[in-house]
Amino acid sequence: MASDGPLSRVYRGRIGTPTTDDEVYGYWLFVVGIVLGVLGLALFYGSPSRSGLREFGYVFAAVGVVALFVGPTMRLPLSRTALFVSYTAALVCLAATLWFSLIYPAGWSGPEGNPAVTLYIGGLALAAVGAVVAPLLTGRAEAYERAQETAAEATAAAEQATETAAQSEVERAELAEELTASESAREDLSALVDATEAELDTAQAAIAAAMESKATFEMFEDKAGKYRWRLRHRNGNVIADSAQGYASRQKAMQGLRSVQTNAAGGAVVLLEDATEDDTVEDVPEVPAPESQATFELFEDAGGEFRWRLRHDNGNVLADGSEGYASKSNVRRALKGVRAYVPGAAYLRVDPVAFEVYADRAGRYRWRLLHKNGEILGDSGEGYETRAAARRAADEVRTLAPDATVGEGFEVYEDSGGEFRWRLTDDEGIVADSGEGYTERNKAVRAVERVQSYAADADLLTVGNAAFEIYEDNGGKWRWRLRHRNGQIMADGGQGFPKRSAAVESIERVKRHGPGAEQSE
């Protein structure tokens, strides 16, 4: 791959991406040859015979011709022998030009039979041999091998640079999330001092949501029909588990919440004489994070590039939700999936839910999402803290059921001729439609859906990405991986008869996705 010098940067910006330094230098040498040739001709025709300017005209023209020969030769994928012959020819021509400058004009009797001219012509002939004859004699194998090595090195360097950039972007996003979460946590803790008994549970939930973690609690049903939980790090390792089964999901959730509430301030006690409690039920074995699946990149019938995660048994575990125009785009999408799958939480959208998420600017927003993927409404603005966005969503849940079109909800036509709605209170706009509708009655129906669903919608917290579990129109359970910007990154590709089967499908993707190899 070409170096990043000033000549390479100009070449890359104006002409294209070079593969070698010789390609760049050959081009600029050719340009220099044109400039010197034009300058030499101008001096020749604009100066008196046997004058100093006429001498410079000869020299510039002679050097320009050499550059015009050697420049294109350097850009060709020739063997080292051919390039050596061309460089030798250039030195011979330069030596002849220097000889000419020493004998002109006193020792110059004309070009006929002059040894300097003869040497110069011999150099040009040698340059022609290097560009045309030498490759025919030495063959192209060496040149092809060098070109292939250069291409392989360039591809490897580009992939490494892309991977490093993606990893750096993920790390920067995580650092920004952690810094923002810490600031949000301090604000919420100060607010807790004045919180009433009725608001305590809500405040604790806000703090727990604000303290972004690199791990996710997973709730599941074991083979004996009992509910358990485990805390899984984004790298696939299980950090902790419930150690016992619960008779109902509610009791398992209570045990999980107790750990969330008490673990942060819990003291560490060393029990020297303690023995393992063998009365606790056996915890199911958690599969190792090694992958038994492969990411496949392929081109569909429409000419777009897609990916799918296929298990070694042939089953497709997940696939991309959209096609991409190039392989490089689908590779970047796949890297995002690898990065976000391990730490993505499970969110149930049934039939709607409020999602609270951080946008690219680090501000917190909410959106009201239907299980079919339609965004019914959003905050319309960003908030400094996650708790503030949650409070804004709670306000919509309170205001929307009693508001009507004309009393709280306003349906209007925007400057683009589309119809939108917004929900207002005494202080201003609380929520808006987030999108326009072609007809006013469609915007009104959207308002009616918000009125019907907002009060009972769950309030969910989204990190960088989250798995959404929902029931489709056919009564089957499906999942999709949605980025915090709203884009669907992956889906299960099929429906499942039970919600637990959809959860198991997600767990397989979490287990096999991060370490899966990639094939094309």
Side-chain angles (χ1 to χ4, degrees):
M1 187 174 183
S3 59
D4 193 25
L7 297 179
S8 297
R9 287 195 293 269
V10 175
Y11 187 96
R12 190 177 293 108
R14 297 292 182 179
I15 299 174
T17 303
T19 56
T20 63
D21 287 331
D22 287 345
E23 180 179 345
V24 177
Y25 298 149
Y27 170 80
W28 288 113
L29 186 59
F30 181 76
V31 172
V32 169
I34 294 176
V35 173
L36 290 178
V38 172
L39 183 59
L41 289 175
L43 291 175
F44 177 82
Y45 287 110
S47 61
S49 177
R50 295 183 176 272
S51 65
L53 290 177
R54 176 65 63 89
E55 179 180 359
F56 280 109
Y58 281 128
V59 171
F60 288 159
V63 175
V65 172
V66 174
L68 290 175
F69 262 82
V70 179
T73 304
M74 290 177 61
R75 303 190 68 197
L76 297 175
L78 302 178
S79 65
R80 292 181 176 85
T81 302
L83 290 176
F84 177 77
V85 172
S86 297
Y87 296 155
T88 302
L91 292 177
V92 171
C93 289
L94 292 177
T97 304
L98 178 61
W99 188 3
F100 165 79
S101 65
L102 295 176
I103 65 176
Y104 186 89
W108 178 256
S109 59
E112 296 81 3
N114 192 288
V117 175
T118 303
L119 181 62
Y120 184 83
I121 294 175
L124 291 181
L126 189 60
V129 171
V132 180
V133 180
L136 298 177
L137 297 177
T138 59
R140 295 182 299 173
E142 181 183 357
Y144 281 150
E145 290 177 1
R146 186 177 60 168
Q148 291 174 353
E149 291 175 0
T150 303
E153 292 174 358
T155 302
E159 292 179 353
Q160 180 66 28
T162 303
E163 183 177 355
T164 303
Q167 183 177 0
S168 300
E169 184 66 24
V170 171
E171 291 175 353
R172 285 196 296 270
E174 290 176 352
L175 180 58
E177 285 283 333
E178 292 173 359
L179 292 175
T180 305
S182 299
E183 183 65 25
S184 175
R186 286 194 294 271
E187 293 178 3
D188 292 335
L189 284 172
S190 63
L192 276 176
V193 177
D194 300 325
T196 63
E197 178 97 11
E199 297 172 332
L200 184 57
D201 291 340
T202 303
Q204 288 178 337
I207 294 174
M211 300 299 290
E212 287 290 332
S213 174
K214 292 184 178 180
T216 303
F217 281 100
E218 299 176 348
M219 185 79 67
F220 64 98
E221 187 177 356
D222 64 17
K223 296 180 180 179
K226 291 192 175 184
Y227 291 93
R228 299 174 180 268
W229 60 261
R230 59 189 171 217
L231 180 62
R232 186 189 296 274
H233 194 274
R234 65 177 59 182
N235 62 12
N237 296 334
V238 175
I239 302 173
D241 57 52
S242 58
Q244 62 175 331
Y246 296 87
S248 65
R249 185 186 298 272
Q250 181 181 5
K251 292 186 179 296
M253 183 62 71
Q254 290 174 351
L256 189 155
R257 295 302 184 197
S258 177
V259 172
Q260 288 180 317
T261 303
N262 299 304
V268 178
V269 180
L270 178 62
L271 303 178
E272 296 181 354
D273 299 327
T275 58
E276 182 178 354
D277 184 2
D278 55 5
T279 63
V280 179
E281 298 179 23
D282 292 336
V283 178
E285 181 180 357
V286 179
E290 287 79 5
S291 177
Q292 297 177 353
T294 303
F295 281 107
E296 297 177 347
L297 273 62
F298 64 97
E299 186 175 1
D300 63 15
E304 292 187 318
F305 294 94
R306 296 177 177 270
W307 65 263
R308 60 187 168 218
L309 179 62
R310 187 185 295 276
H311 195 275
D312 291 347
N313 60 16
N315 295 334
V316 176
L317 305 181
D319 57 41
S321 60
E322 62 176 326
Y324 299 88
S326 65
K327 282 189 176 182
S328 59
N329 289 341
V330 73
R331 289 192 190 101
R332 283 194 292 270
L334 196 54
K335 287 181 179 179
V337 172
R338 289 179 187 271
Y340 294 135
V341 158
Y346 303 168
L347 307 180
R348 178 174 178 177
V349 181
D350 187 24
V352 299
F354 283 97
E355 289 186 350
V356 177
Y357 65 101
D359 61 19
R360 292 184 176 179
R363 297 179 64 83
Y364 292 91
R365 299 177 179 269
W366 63 260
R367 57 182 168 235
L368 183 60
L369 180 70
H370 194 273
K371 66 181 182 182
N372 62 9
E374 180 184 2
I375 297 177
L376 303 181
D378 61 42
S379 57
E381 64 174 323
Y383 298 88
E384 292 294 332
T385 64
R386 190 185 299 272
R390 292 174 67 91
R391 286 194 293 269
D394 283 332
E395 186 176 2
V396 174
R397 288 199 290 192
T398 303
L399 295 176
D402 298 328
T404 60
V405 177
E407 293 289 334
F409 281 104
E410 177 187 354
V411 177
Y412 65 100
E413 186 176 5
D414 64 16
S415 59
E418 292 186 319
F419 292 91
R420 299 176 179 268
W421 63 260
R422 55 190 171 211
L423 177 62
T424 61
D425 62 3
D426 296 337
E427 296 181 0
I429 299 175
V430 178
D432 60 44
S433 59
E435 63 176 335
Y437 300 88
T438 56
E439 301 174 9
R440 188 178 188 279
N441 61 346
K442 291 183 179 180
V444 173
R445 285 199 295 269
V447 169
E448 293 173 351
R449 290 198 299 271
V450 174
Q451 289 174 313
S452 302
Y453 294 132
D456 298 326
D458 293 330
L459 188 57
L460 310 175
T461 299
V462 179
N464 286 328
F467 286 101
E468 295 175 352
I469 303 175
Y470 62 100
E471 191 175 5
D472 63 16
N473 295 332
K476 290 191 175 183
W477 293 93
R478 297 178 178 271
W479 64 262
R480 58 190 169 222
L481 179 63
R482 185 188 294 273
H483 193 269
R484 64 184 180 187
N485 61 13
Q487 179 184 0
I488 297 176
M489 306 173 65
D491 58 53
Q494 61 176 318
F496 300 90
K498 296 182 180 180
R499 184 179 185 274
S500 58
V503 173
E504 291 174 359
S505 174
I506 294 175
E507 290 183 350
R508 286 194 292 270
V509 173
K510 279 176 168 280
R511 184 163 61 248
H512 298 294
E517 296 181 353
Q518 181 175 312
S519 66
E520 301 184 15

